[in-house]
Amino acid sequence: MTAQLIDGKAFAADLRARVGEHAAAFSEQAGRKAGLAVVLVGEDAASEVYVRSKGKATVAANMESFEHRLPADTSQEELIALVEQLNADPAVDGILVQLPLPGDLDEQAVIAAIDPGKDVDGFHVESAGRLMVGREGFVPCTPLGCIMLLRDRHGDLSGLNAVVIGRSHIVGKPMAQLLLDANATVTIAHSRTKDLPEIVRRADIVVAAVGRAEMVKADWIKPGATVIDVGINRLMPAEGESKGRLVGDVDFAGASEVAGAITPVPGGVGPMTIAVLLRNTLVAAYAHAGLEAPEGL
Ligand code: NAD
C-alpha cells in the first residue's frame, strides 16, 4: 500500500473527546446538559444497533440521551405528536428520527415537523436550503465529517477537481455543496453518468457514496488523489465466515496502490458520522442557551 491511510476512527475519537470537554463546560455555564433525542419506530435490527450506539456516545460526551421507541404500527399523527413534544421540550437540543421509517410513514412529513433549530441531522428542507445559499445551519453529519477529513488532509481545497459519485440528499448533494463552498471544482456523478471511470480519473478528490461494493476500481484513480469512501456494503459470507466482510464503494486494495490518501472501510467515514452528530447537538445547545459556541467546534 502506498497511499496514506486517513484514520477516520482516530479523527472521530478526537472530535468526540473535544465535544465531550466542551459539553461539560456547557453544562456548567448553562446549568443543564445538552440533550439529544433519538426516535426509533419499529424493530429494524440495524437501526436498533445505530440508536444504541448513538445513545452511548451521547452519554460518553457528557450529554443527555433521550431514547423514544415506538411500535411499528405507530400512526403518522402519533409520530408527529412526539416530534412536536420534543420540539417544545427545553431539555432537548437535537432531534433525530432514525430512518428508514417502517410501513407507510411519510419520512418527509416527519422531518418537516422537526424544529429546524433542533434538526441536528440536517435533513430538514430549511437546513438544505441554508446550506445551498451559504447561510449558517445544520449540515448532514456524514458529508460534514468527510469535509473535515479533507480539510485536515489538504488544508485549502481551492481549485482542486472533486468528483462526488452519488447524488442522494443525505450524502452526495450536500457533499458536493460543501466542496463547492471550499472552492473546489465539483462534478456530481450518478447512476446515469456516462464514462464514469474517465470522469473519476480527472479527480484530485474522489468521494464515493453509491452503495455498490468495490465499484470504483484502481485504474479509475488519478495517481496521488485523495479517496473518501462513504459506502458501507456487506459482502456475502465466504466459506467459514458467519457474516460477510464490510467493504466500501472503492476497491480498497487496488486503489490504495494508486491514491495519495484513502479512507478504509470500516474505520474511515463511518465513525465520523456519530462524532459530527454530537458536535451538531452541542452547537444547537449553545444556540438554545443564547451562548456563543466555542471556536473550532
Ligand atoms: P442512495 O442509495 O440514496 O444514493 C446512491 C447514489 O448512487 C444515487 O444518487 C445514485 O444515482 C448513485 N448510483 C447508483 N448506482 C450508480 C452507478 N452505477 N454509478 C454511479 N452512481 C450510481 O445512498 P446514500 O444514502 O447516499 O448512501 C450511499 C452509501 O453510503 C451507502 O453504501 C450507504 O450505506 C453509505 N452511507 C454511509 C454513511 C456513513 O456513516 N459512513 C452514512 C450514509 C450512507
Side-chain angles (χ1 to χ4, degrees):
M1 166 161 176
T2 52
Q4 220 177 56
L5 203 67
I6 300 178
D7 189 347
K9 202 170 162 190
F11 193 101
D14 268 4
L15 178 56
R16 278 167 63 163
R18 218 163 53 237
V19 169
E21 281 168 28
H22 288 307
F26 172 83
S27 350
E28 293 267 306
Q29 250 183 306
R32 67 169 182 92
K33 284 187 174 180
L36 173 65
V38 178
V39 180
L40 174 61
V41 187
E43 274 142 33
D44 180 69
S47 295
E48 179 63 43
V49 172
Y50 291 139
V51 166
R52 217 172 317 128
S53 57
K54 281 169 190 166
K56 273 195 201 159
T58 306
V59 172
N62 301 316
M63 298 194 242
E64 199 97 58
S65 165
F66 306 99
E67 285 177 32
H68 294 267
R69 289 182 157 71
L70 301 177
D73 62 359
T74 299
S75 70
Q76 181 83 8
E77 292 69 32
E78 287 167 322
L79 180 53
I80 289 184
L82 172 60
V83 168
E84 283 168 355
Q85 180 197 317
L86 298 171
N87 284 343
D89 185 344
V92 171
D93 295 295
I95 302 170
L96 182 153
V97 178
Q98 185 66 44
L99 302 178
L101 291 172
D104 295 334
L105 291 170
D106 177 351
E107 289 183 357
Q108 284 311 317
V110 174
I111 292 168
I114 297 174
D115 172 352
K118 298 190 177 187
D119 176 39
V120 287
D121 245 348
F123 293 169
H124 195 286
V125 287
E126 179 165 330
S127 303
R130 284 176 174 268
L131 176 60
M132 182 61 84
V133 298
R135 282 185 43 200
E136 210 171 294
F138 292 110
V139 175
C141 302
T142 302
L144 185 53
C146 293
I147 202 88
M148 285 178 181
L149 294 177
L150 284 167
R151 283 190 184 282
D152 183 59
R153 157 107 191 138
H154 286 272
D156 188 7
L157 305 181
S158 288
L160 295 179
N161 282 329
V163 172
V164 179
I165 318 175
R167 57 175 162 184
S168 71
H169 297 311
I170 62 169
V171 189
K173 281 187 197 169
M175 186 72 240
Q177 187 65 48
L178 289 169
L179 286 160
L180 192 59
D181 292 345
N183 299 317
T185 302
V186 184
T187 304
I188 307 177
H190 48 79
S191 52
R192 306 288 177 89
T193 296
K194 293 193 179 124
D195 303 327
L196 182 60
E198 210 42 59
I199 289 169
V200 175
R201 269 181 212 118
R202 285 187 234 137
D204 304 304
I205 292 170
V206 182
V207 180
V210 182
R212 285 183 169 226
E214 300 175 325
M215 181 188 91
V216 178
K217 305 299 178 202
D219 66 356
W220 300 16
I221 306 292
K222 174 171 158 179
T226 298
V227 178
I228 304 289
D229 191 351
V230 183
I232 303 176
N233 311 287
R234 196 171 282 286
L235 296 179
M236 297 293 284
E239 253 191 48
E241 283 179 350
S242 61
K243 274 202 292 192
R245 256 184 331 120
L246 277 186
V247 297
D249 290 343
V250 179
D251 164 21
F252 180 82
S256 57
E257 298 298 332
V258 188
I262 187 165
T263 57
V265 176
V269 173
M272 290 300 291
T273 302
I274 287 188
V276 174
L277 174 69
L278 300 174
R279 178 251 171 220
N280 282 357
T281 303
L282 189 55
V283 168
Y286 274 104
H288 293 147
L291 296 167
E292 182 118 5
E295 281 282 311
L297 186 63

mmCIF file of all heavy atoms in Angstrom, residues 100-149:
data_model
loop_
_atom_site.group_PDB
_atom_site.id
_atom_site.type_symbol
_atom_site.label_atom_id
_atom_site.label_comp_id
_atom_site.label_asym_id
_atom_site.label_seq_id
_atom_site.Cartn_x
_atom_site.Cartn_y
_atom_site.Cartn_z
ATOM 1 N N PRO A 100 -34.555 4.158 7.908
ATOM 2 C CA PRO A 100 -35.863 4.370 7.296
ATOM 3 C C PRO A 100 -37.000 4.117 8.286
ATOM 4 O O PRO A 100 -36.832 3.366 9.239
ATOM 5 C CB PRO A 100 -35.879 3.301 6.190
ATOM 6 C CG PRO A 100 -34.995 2.205 6.707
ATOM 7 C CD PRO A 100 -33.947 2.872 7.535
ATOM 8 N N LEU A 101 -38.148 4.769 8.019
ATOM 9 C CA LEU A 101 -39.332 4.545 8.838
ATOM 10 C C LEU A 101 -40.109 3.363 8.254
ATOM 11 O O LEU A 101 -40.156 3.196 7.036
ATOM 12 C CB LEU A 101 -40.211 5.795 8.839
ATOM 13 C CG LEU A 101 -39.633 7.010 9.566
ATOM 14 C CD1 LEU A 101 -40.502 8.237 9.335
ATOM 15 C CD2 LEU A 101 -39.499 6.719 11.067
ATOM 16 N N PRO A 102 -40.723 2.563 9.109
ATOM 17 C CA PRO A 102 -41.448 1.398 8.589
ATOM 18 C C PRO A 102 -42.803 1.775 7.974
ATOM 19 O O PRO A 102 -43.323 2.862 8.227
ATOM 20 C CB PRO A 102 -41.658 0.534 9.837
ATOM 21 C CG PRO A 102 -41.659 1.493 10.977
ATOM 22 C CD PRO A 102 -40.767 2.640 10.580
ATOM 23 N N GLY A 103 -43.341 0.860 7.199
ATOM 24 C CA GLY A 103 -44.714 0.967 6.676
ATOM 25 C C GLY A 103 -44.918 2.184 5.807
ATOM 26 O O GLY A 103 -44.052 2.559 5.021
ATOM 27 N N ASP A 104 -46.085 2.815 6.017
ATOM 28 C CA ASP A 104 -46.476 3.931 5.150
ATOM 29 C C ASP A 104 -46.099 5.279 5.747
ATOM 30 O O ASP A 104 -46.549 6.319 5.255
ATOM 31 C CB ASP A 104 -47.999 3.927 4.946
ATOM 32 C CG ASP A 104 -48.439 2.687 4.202
ATOM 33 O OD1 ASP A 104 -47.611 2.129 3.457
ATOM 34 O OD2 ASP A 104 -49.609 2.266 4.390
ATOM 35 N N LEU A 105 -45.323 5.281 6.800
ATOM 36 C CA LEU A 105 -44.990 6.568 7.434
ATOM 37 C C LEU A 105 -44.239 7.442 6.428
ATOM 38 O O LEU A 105 -43.358 6.974 5.708
ATOM 39 C CB LEU A 105 -44.150 6.338 8.688
ATOM 40 C CG LEU A 105 -44.899 5.671 9.848
ATOM 41 C CD1 LEU A 105 -43.936 5.250 10.949
ATOM 42 C CD2 LEU A 105 -45.967 6.608 10.401
ATOM 43 N N ASP A 106 -44.619 8.725 6.407
ATOM 44 C CA ASP A 106 -44.092 9.649 5.399
ATOM 45 C C ASP A 106 -42.858 10.365 5.986
ATOM 46 O O ASP A 106 -42.989 11.281 6.797
ATOM 47 C CB ASP A 106 -45.222 10.639 5.049
ATOM 48 C CG ASP A 106 -44.760 11.701 4.065
ATOM 49 O OD1 ASP A 106 -43.542 11.793 3.766
ATOM 50 O OD2 ASP A 106 -45.643 12.458 3.605
ATOM 51 N N GLU A 107 -41.676 9.923 5.549
ATOM 52 C CA GLU A 107 -40.429 10.455 6.123
ATOM 53 C C GLU A 107 -40.332 11.966 5.958
ATOM 54 O O GLU A 107 -39.942 12.683 6.877
ATOM 55 C CB GLU A 107 -39.209 9.792 5.464
ATOM 56 C CG GLU A 107 -39.060 8.346 5.896
ATOM 57 C CD GLU A 107 -37.823 7.654 5.332
ATOM 58 O OE1 GLU A 107 -37.073 8.265 4.547
ATOM 59 O OE2 GLU A 107 -37.635 6.485 5.683
ATOM 60 N N GLN A 108 -40.679 12.436 4.769
ATOM 61 C CA GLN A 108 -40.553 13.878 4.510
ATOM 62 C C GLN A 108 -41.426 14.688 5.451
ATOM 63 O O GLN A 108 -41.011 15.724 5.964
ATOM 64 C CB GLN A 108 -40.918 14.193 3.042
ATOM 65 C CG GLN A 108 -39.842 13.808 2.053
ATOM 66 C CD GLN A 108 -38.447 14.323 2.450
ATOM 67 O OE1 GLN A 108 -38.290 15.462 2.881
ATOM 68 N NE2 GLN A 108 -37.450 13.462 2.341
ATOM 69 N N ALA A 109 -42.660 14.187 5.683
ATOM 70 C CA ALA A 109 -43.576 14.926 6.565
ATOM 71 C C ALA A 109 -43.054 14.920 7.998
ATOM 72 O O ALA A 109 -43.168 15.921 8.719
ATOM 73 C CB ALA A 109 -44.977 14.304 6.501
ATOM 74 N N VAL A 110 -42.465 13.812 8.408
ATOM 75 C CA VAL A 110 -41.951 13.719 9.783
ATOM 76 C C VAL A 110 -40.748 14.651 9.948
ATOM 77 O O VAL A 110 -40.642 15.402 10.927
ATOM 78 C CB VAL A 110 -41.592 12.252 10.133
ATOM 79 C CG1 VAL A 110 -40.919 12.181 11.497
ATOM 80 C CG2 VAL A 110 -42.841 11.376 10.091
ATOM 81 N N ILE A 111 -39.855 14.637 8.960
ATOM 82 C CA ILE A 111 -38.678 15.521 9.039
ATOM 83 C C ILE A 111 -39.120 16.988 9.022
ATOM 84 O O ILE A 111 -38.569 17.820 9.743
ATOM 85 C CB ILE A 111 -37.692 15.213 7.892
ATOM 86 C CG1 ILE A 111 -37.076 13.819 8.113
ATOM 87 C CG2 ILE A 111 -36.589 16.270 7.805
ATOM 88 C CD1 ILE A 111 -36.327 13.279 6.922
ATOM 89 N N ALA A 112 -40.143 17.271 8.226
ATOM 90 C CA ALA A 112 -40.632 18.661 8.137
ATOM 91 C C ALA A 112 -41.197 19.139 9.472
ATOM 92 O O ALA A 112 -41.239 20.348 9.733
ATOM 93 C CB ALA A 112 -41.698 18.761 7.049
ATOM 94 N N ALA A 113 -41.626 18.195 10.315
ATOM 95 C CA ALA A 113 -42.211 18.581 11.610
ATOM 96 C C ALA A 113 -41.143 18.952 12.635
ATOM 97 O O ALA A 113 -41.437 19.575 13.657
ATOM 98 C CB ALA A 113 -43.070 17.433 12.148
ATOM 99 N N ILE A 114 -39.878 18.569 12.369
ATOM 100 C CA ILE A 114 -38.808 18.870 13.332
ATOM 101 C C ILE A 114 -38.498 20.368 13.298
ATOM 102 O O ILE A 114 -38.387 20.967 12.222
ATOM 103 C CB ILE A 114 -37.520 18.061 12.982
ATOM 104 C CG1 ILE A 114 -37.790 16.550 13.108
ATOM 105 C CG2 ILE A 114 -36.334 18.478 13.849
ATOM 106 C CD1 ILE A 114 -36.633 15.665 12.643
ATOM 107 N N ASP A 115 -38.371 20.967 14.484
ATOM 108 C CA ASP A 115 -37.944 22.366 14.576
ATOM 109 C C ASP A 115 -36.558 22.483 13.903
ATOM 110 O O ASP A 115 -35.615 21.793 14.319
ATOM 111 C CB ASP A 115 -37.858 22.716 16.071
ATOM 112 C CG ASP A 115 -37.248 24.078 16.332
ATOM 113 O OD1 ASP A 115 -36.744 24.718 15.384
ATOM 114 O OD2 ASP A 115 -37.259 24.492 17.512
ATOM 115 N N PRO A 116 -36.410 23.326 12.872
ATOM 116 C CA PRO A 116 -35.104 23.429 12.191
ATOM 117 C C PRO A 116 -33.952 23.748 13.144
ATOM 118 O O PRO A 116 -32.815 23.364 12.887
ATOM 119 C CB PRO A 116 -35.308 24.550 11.178
ATOM 120 C CG PRO A 116 -36.777 24.577 10.940
ATOM 121 C CD PRO A 116 -37.425 24.166 12.234
ATOM 122 N N GLY A 117 -34.235 24.383 14.264
ATOM 123 C CA GLY A 117 -33.206 24.674 15.264
ATOM 124 C C GLY A 117 -32.756 23.432 16.028
ATOM 125 O O GLY A 117 -31.780 23.465 16.763
ATOM 126 N N LYS A 118 -33.502 22.332 15.863
ATOM 127 C CA LYS A 118 -33.145 21.063 16.522
ATOM 128 C C LYS A 118 -32.817 19.983 15.491
ATOM 129 O O LYS A 118 -32.657 18.812 15.832
ATOM 130 C CB LYS A 118 -34.296 20.608 17.435
ATOM 131 C CG LYS A 118 -34.593 21.580 18.561
ATOM 132 C CD LYS A 118 -35.566 21.008 19.606
ATOM 133 C CE LYS A 118 -35.754 22.009 20.751
ATOM 134 N NZ LYS A 118 -36.550 21.442 21.866
ATOM 135 N N ASP A 119 -32.694 20.391 14.229
ATOM 136 C CA ASP A 119 -32.515 19.436 13.124
ATOM 137 C C ASP A 119 -31.036 19.041 12.984
ATOM 138 O O ASP A 119 -30.383 19.357 11.981
ATOM 139 C CB ASP A 119 -33.036 20.096 11.825
ATOM 140 C CG ASP A 119 -32.795 19.227 10.613
ATOM 141 O OD1 ASP A 119 -32.940 17.989 10.721
ATOM 142 O OD2 ASP A 119 -32.447 19.787 9.549
ATOM 143 N N VAL A 120 -30.530 18.327 13.990
ATOM 144 C CA VAL A 120 -29.087 18.054 14.030
ATOM 145 C C VAL A 120 -28.620 17.079 12.946
ATOM 146 O O VAL A 120 -27.427 16.966 12.673
ATOM 147 C CB VAL A 120 -28.652 17.553 15.425
ATOM 148 C CG1 VAL A 120 -28.674 18.706 16.409
ATOM 149 C CG2 VAL A 120 -29.539 16.403 15.912
ATOM 150 N N ASP A 121 -29.569 16.388 12.308
ATOM 151 C CA ASP A 121 -29.240 15.528 11.166
ATOM 152 C C ASP A 121 -29.097 16.346 9.874
ATOM 153 O O ASP A 121 -28.559 15.864 8.883
ATOM 154 C CB ASP A 121 -30.380 14.515 10.956
ATOM 155 C CG ASP A 121 -29.935 13.081 11.206
ATOM 156 O OD1 ASP A 121 -28.721 12.848 11.317
ATOM 157 O OD2 ASP A 121 -30.818 12.209 11.266
ATOM 158 N N GLY A 122 -29.639 17.567 9.887
ATOM 159 C CA GLY A 122 -29.546 18.440 8.710
ATOM 160 C C GLY A 122 -30.402 17.995 7.540
ATOM 161 O O GLY A 122 -30.116 18.343 6.393
ATOM 162 N N PHE A 123 -31.476 17.246 7.807
ATOM 163 C CA PHE A 123 -32.305 16.723 6.704
ATOM 164 C C PHE A 123 -33.515 17.608 6.393
ATOM 165 O O PHE A 123 -34.208 17.389 5.408
ATOM 166 C CB PHE A 123 -32.830 15.309 7.039
ATOM 167 C CG PHE A 123 -31.752 14.248 7.120
ATOM 168 C CD1 PHE A 123 -32.051 12.989 7.627
ATOM 169 C CD2 PHE A 123 -30.450 14.495 6.686
ATOM 170 C CE1 PHE A 123 -31.067 12.002 7.707
ATOM 171 C CE2 PHE A 123 -29.461 13.511 6.769
ATOM 172 C CZ PHE A 123 -29.774 12.268 7.282
ATOM 173 N N HIS A 124 -33.813 18.570 7.263
ATOM 174 C CA HIS A 124 -34.981 19.445 7.043
ATOM 175 C C HIS A 124 -34.740 20.302 5.800
ATOM 176 O O HIS A 124 -33.593 20.682 5.529
ATOM 177 C CB HIS A 124 -35.142 20.340 8.276
ATOM 178 C CG HIS A 124 -36.464 21.024 8.350
ATOM 179 N ND1 HIS A 124 -36.792 22.080 7.544
ATOM 180 C CD2 HIS A 124 -37.541 20.807 9.130
ATOM 181 C CE1 HIS A 124 -38.022 22.486 7.836
ATOM 182 N NE2 HIS A 124 -38.496 21.727 8.799
ATOM 183 N N VAL A 125 -35.803 20.616 5.057
ATOM 184 C CA VAL A 125 -35.604 21.439 3.848
ATOM 185 C C VAL A 125 -35.008 22.805 4.199
ATOM 186 O O VAL A 125 -34.260 23.366 3.396
ATOM 187 C CB VAL A 125 -36.888 21.650 2.997
ATOM 188 C CG1 VAL A 125 -37.279 20.396 2.258
ATOM 189 C CG2 VAL A 125 -38.034 22.162 3.824
ATOM 190 N N GLU A 126 -35.314 23.307 5.387
ATOM 191 C CA GLU A 126 -34.709 24.592 5.761
ATOM 192 C C GLU A 126 -33.186 24.453 5.896
ATOM 193 O O GLU A 126 -32.424 25.323 5.463
ATOM 194 C CB GLU A 126 -35.308 25.139 7.059
ATOM 195 C CG GLU A 126 -34.640 26.449 7.414
ATOM 196 C CD GLU A 126 -35.350 27.272 8.460
ATOM 197 O OE1 GLU A 126 -36.588 27.211 8.562
ATOM 198 O OE2 GLU A 126 -34.634 28.003 9.169
ATOM 199 N N SER A 127 -32.736 23.340 6.478
ATOM 200 C CA SER A 127 -31.286 23.121 6.616
ATOM 201 C C SER A 127 -30.656 22.975 5.234
ATOM 202 O O SER A 127 -29.577 23.532 4.967
ATOM 203 C CB SER A 127 -31.020 21.857 7.445
ATOM 204 O OG SER A 127 -31.625 21.951 8.711
ATOM 205 N N ALA A 128 -31.320 22.209 4.360
ATOM 206 C CA ALA A 128 -30.792 22.011 2.999
ATOM 207 C C ALA A 128 -30.714 23.344 2.267
ATOM 208 O O ALA A 128 -29.721 23.643 1.584
ATOM 209 C CB ALA A 128 -31.675 21.031 2.234
ATOM 210 N N GLY A 129 -31.748 24.175 2.444
ATOM 211 C CA GLY A 129 -31.781 25.489 1.793
ATOM 212 C C GLY A 129 -30.683 26.400 2.317
ATOM 213 O O GLY A 129 -30.021 27.110 1.550
ATOM 214 N N ARG A 130 -30.481 26.368 3.622
ATOM 215 C CA ARG A 130 -29.424 27.200 4.210
ATOM 216 C C ARG A 130 -28.062 26.807 3.663
ATOM 217 O O ARG A 130 -27.242 27.663 3.347
ATOM 218 C CB ARG A 130 -29.438 27.058 5.740
ATOM 219 C CG ARG A 130 -30.554 27.821 6.383
ATOM 220 C CD ARG A 130 -30.600 27.573 7.880
ATOM 221 N NE ARG A 130 -31.601 28.434 8.475
ATOM 222 C CZ ARG A 130 -31.338 29.647 8.958
ATOM 223 N NH1 ARG A 130 -30.102 30.099 8.967
ATOM 224 N NH2 ARG A 130 -32.302 30.392 9.441
ATOM 225 N N LEU A 131 -27.839 25.495 3.542
ATOM 226 C CA LEU A 131 -26.550 25.037 3.008
ATOM 227 C C LEU A 131 -26.388 25.533 1.570
ATOM 228 O O LEU A 131 -25.332 26.020 1.169
ATOM 229 C CB LEU A 131 -26.484 23.497 3.068
ATOM 230 C CG LEU A 131 -25.233 22.854 2.460
ATOM 231 C CD1 LEU A 131 -23.961 23.319 3.167
ATOM 232 C CD2 LEU A 131 -25.337 21.323 2.522
ATOM 233 N N MET A 132 -27.471 25.431 0.818
ATOM 234 C CA MET A 132 -27.419 25.824 -0.597
ATOM 235 C C MET A 132 -27.092 27.307 -0.774
ATOM 236 O O MET A 132 -26.335 27.669 -1.673
ATOM 237 C CB MET A 132 -28.783 25.488 -1.232
ATOM 238 C CG MET A 132 -28.889 25.781 -2.684
ATOM 239 S SD MET A 132 -27.701 24.843 -3.641
ATOM 240 C CE MET A 132 -28.582 23.315 -3.828
ATOM 241 N N VAL A 133 -27.652 28.166 0.100
ATOM 242 C CA VAL A 133 -27.420 29.603 -0.089
ATOM 243 C C VAL A 133 -26.315 30.151 0.818
ATOM 244 O O VAL A 133 -26.127 31.359 0.910
ATOM 245 C CB VAL A 133 -28.714 30.443 0.081
ATOM 246 C CG1 VAL A 133 -29.745 30.046 -0.961
ATOM 247 C CG2 VAL A 133 -29.298 30.323 1.482
ATOM 248 N N GLY A 134 -25.605 29.244 1.505
ATOM 249 C CA GLY A 134 -24.438 29.675 2.280
ATOM 250 C C GLY A 134 -24.777 30.342 3.591
ATOM 251 O O GLY A 134 -24.010 31.170 4.080
ATOM 252 N N ARG A 135 -25.941 29.997 4.169
ATOM 253 C CA ARG A 135 -26.263 30.540 5.497
ATOM 254 C C ARG A 135 -26.009 29.492 6.556
ATOM 255 O O ARG A 135 -26.054 28.294 6.287
ATOM 256 C CB ARG A 135 -27.719 30.998 5.537
ATOM 257 C CG ARG A 135 -27.842 32.333 4.853
ATOM 258 C CD ARG A 135 -29.200 32.942 4.922
ATOM 259 N NE ARG A 135 -29.850 32.839 6.207
ATOM 260 C CZ ARG A 135 -31.161 32.958 6.361
ATOM 261 N NH1 ARG A 135 -31.932 33.156 5.311
ATOM 262 N NH2 ARG A 135 -31.705 32.868 7.557
ATOM 263 N N GLU A 136 -25.750 29.970 7.769
ATOM 264 C CA GLU A 136 -25.444 29.042 8.855
ATOM 265 C C GLU A 136 -26.631 28.105 9.083
ATOM 266 O O GLU A 136 -27.780 28.531 9.035
ATOM 267 C CB GLU A 136 -25.193 29.866 10.115
ATOM 268 C CG GLU A 136 -24.219 29.207 11.044
ATOM 269 C CD GLU A 136 -23.831 30.150 12.155
ATOM 270 O OE1 GLU A 136 -23.193 31.176 11.857
ATOM 271 O OE2 GLU A 136 -24.180 29.851 13.296
ATOM 272 N N GLY A 137 -26.344 26.843 9.341
ATOM 273 C CA GLY A 137 -27.416 25.888 9.604
ATOM 274 C C GLY A 137 -26.818 24.517 9.812
ATOM 275 O O GLY A 137 -25.599 24.362 9.757
ATOM 276 N N PHE A 138 -27.676 23.541 10.034
ATOM 277 C CA PHE A 138 -27.158 22.190 10.269
ATOM 278 C C PHE A 138 -26.889 21.482 8.957
ATOM 279 O O PHE A 138 -27.703 21.505 8.034
ATOM 280 C CB PHE A 138 -28.143 21.389 11.120
ATOM 281 C CG PHE A 138 -28.216 21.920 12.516
ATOM 282 C CD1 PHE A 138 -29.347 22.582 12.963
ATOM 283 C CD2 PHE A 138 -27.124 21.813 13.363
ATOM 284 C CE1 PHE A 138 -29.399 23.113 14.242
ATOM 285 C CE2 PHE A 138 -27.160 22.343 14.639
ATOM 286 C CZ PHE A 138 -28.297 22.986 15.083
ATOM 287 N N VAL A 139 -25.718 20.850 8.889
ATOM 288 C CA VAL A 139 -25.282 20.138 7.683
ATOM 289 C C VAL A 139 -25.313 18.648 7.998
ATOM 290 O O VAL A 139 -24.892 18.243 9.087
ATOM 291 C CB VAL A 139 -23.846 20.585 7.307
ATOM 292 C CG1 VAL A 139 -23.326 19.789 6.135
ATOM 293 C CG2 VAL A 139 -23.825 22.079 7.008
ATOM 294 N N PRO A 140 -25.825 17.816 7.076
ATOM 295 C CA PRO A 140 -25.860 16.373 7.343
ATOM 296 C C PRO A 140 -24.496 15.842 7.806
ATOM 297 O O PRO A 140 -23.442 16.255 7.301
ATOM 298 C CB PRO A 140 -26.280 15.778 6.000
ATOM 299 C CG PRO A 140 -27.111 16.857 5.375
ATOM 300 C CD PRO A 140 -26.436 18.147 5.788
ATOM 301 N N CYS A 141 -24.564 14.927 8.788
ATOM 302 C CA CYS A 141 -23.355 14.537 9.542
ATOM 303 C C CYS A 141 -22.302 13.846 8.678
ATOM 304 O O CYS A 141 -21.101 14.101 8.847
ATOM 305 C CB CYS A 141 -23.761 13.634 10.696
ATOM 306 S SG CYS A 141 -24.927 14.427 11.802
ATOM 307 N N THR A 142 -22.732 12.964 7.773
ATOM 308 C CA THR A 142 -21.730 12.202 7.013
ATOM 309 C C THR A 142 -20.915 13.113 6.083
ATOM 310 O O THR A 142 -19.676 13.102 6.144
ATOM 311 C CB THR A 142 -22.404 11.044 6.257
ATOM 312 O OG1 THR A 142 -23.069 10.216 7.224
ATOM 313 C CG2 THR A 142 -21.407 10.212 5.492
ATOM 314 N N PRO A 143 -21.548 13.922 5.241
ATOM 315 C CA PRO A 143 -20.729 14.809 4.406
ATOM 316 C C PRO A 143 -19.930 15.829 5.211
ATOM 317 O O PRO A 143 -18.794 16.156 4.830
ATOM 318 C CB PRO A 143 -21.744 15.489 3.473
ATOM 319 C CG PRO A 143 -23.080 15.169 3.993
ATOM 320 C CD PRO A 143 -22.971 13.960 4.846
ATOM 321 N N LEU A 144 -20.486 16.309 6.330
ATOM 322 C CA LEU A 144 -19.699 17.260 7.142
ATOM 323 C C LEU A 144 -18.455 16.557 7.689
ATOM 324 O O LEU A 144 -17.355 17.128 7.712
ATOM 325 C CB LEU A 144 -20.562 17.842 8.273
ATOM 326 C CG LEU A 144 -19.928 18.927 9.127
ATOM 327 C CD1 LEU A 144 -19.365 20.074 8.302
ATOM 328 C CD2 LEU A 144 -20.933 19.498 10.149
ATOM 329 N N GLY A 145 -18.607 15.293 8.079
ATOM 330 C CA GLY A 145 -17.454 14.515 8.534
ATOM 331 C C GLY A 145 -16.425 14.350 7.421
ATOM 332 O O GLY A 145 -15.212 14.463 7.654
ATOM 333 N N CYS A 146 -16.905 14.113 6.196
ATOM 334 C CA CYS A 146 -15.982 13.940 5.058
ATOM 335 C C CYS A 146 -15.202 15.228 4.789
ATOM 336 O O CYS A 146 -13.992 15.179 4.527
ATOM 337 C CB CYS A 146 -16.747 13.559 3.788
ATOM 338 S SG CYS A 146 -17.506 11.937 3.852
ATOM 339 N N ILE A 147 -15.868 16.367 4.851
ATOM 340 C CA ILE A 147 -15.158 17.618 4.539
ATOM 341 C C ILE A 147 -14.151 17.917 5.654
ATOM 342 O O ILE A 147 -13.078 18.472 5.394
ATOM 343 C CB ILE A 147 -16.129 18.800 4.267
ATOM 344 C CG1 ILE A 147 -15.438 19.893 3.445
ATOM 345 C CG2 ILE A 147 -16.671 19.415 5.531
ATOM 346 C CD1 ILE A 147 -15.503 19.733 2.001
ATOM 347 N N MET A 148 -14.455 17.525 6.880
ATOM 348 C CA MET A 148 -13.474 17.709 7.968
ATOM 349 C C MET A 148 -12.219 16.888 7.673
ATOM 350 O O MET A 148 -11.098 17.380 7.842
ATOM 351 C CB MET A 148 -14.064 17.253 9.304
ATOM 352 C CG MET A 148 -15.081 18.200 9.894
ATOM 353 S SD MET A 148 -15.720 17.475 11.452
ATOM 354 C CE MET A 148 -16.890 18.734 11.922
ATOM 355 N N LEU A 149 -12.397 15.650 7.221
ATOM 356 C CA LEU A 149 -11.243 14.804 6.897
ATOM 357 C C LEU A 149 -10.454 15.408 5.734
ATOM 358 O O LEU A 149 -9.217 15.402 5.740
ATOM 359 C CB LEU A 149 -11.693 13.381 6.530
ATOM 360 C CG LEU A 149 -12.349 12.550 7.645
ATOM 361 C CD1 LEU A 149 -12.804 11.186 7.099
ATOM 362 C CD2 LEU A 149 -11.386 12.339 8.809
#
